[in-house]
Amino acid sequence: MVTLSDDEVALIRSLLTALRAIKVRDIDKALVLLSKGDRRP
């Protein structure tokens, strides 16, 4: 098991909170935009 400092724990917690705040619809929209942009001649 990895030992984390208090600062690292706080950073990971904030990252997870930010990820949780992202809606699935937003991710789907981003994937659609990326897939459209990926089609190159």
Side-chain angles (χ1 to χ4, degrees), residues 4 18 27 30 33-34 39-40:
L4 300 173
I27 294 174
L33 290 174
L34 286 173
R39 296 179 189 159
R40 297 177 183 170

Side-chain angles (χ1 to χ4, degrees), residues 2-32:
V2 179
T3 303
L4 300 173
S5 68
D6 290 342
D7 289 339
E8 289 169 329
V9 171
L11 178 60
I12 292 172
R13 185 175 293 162
S14 65
L15 286 172
L16 290 175
T17 303
L19 286 173
R20 187 175 62 185
I22 297 173
K23 297 179 181 177
V24 175
R25 289 181 187 172
D26 294 338
I27 294 174
D28 288 342
K29 287 179 186 177
L31 288 174
V32 169

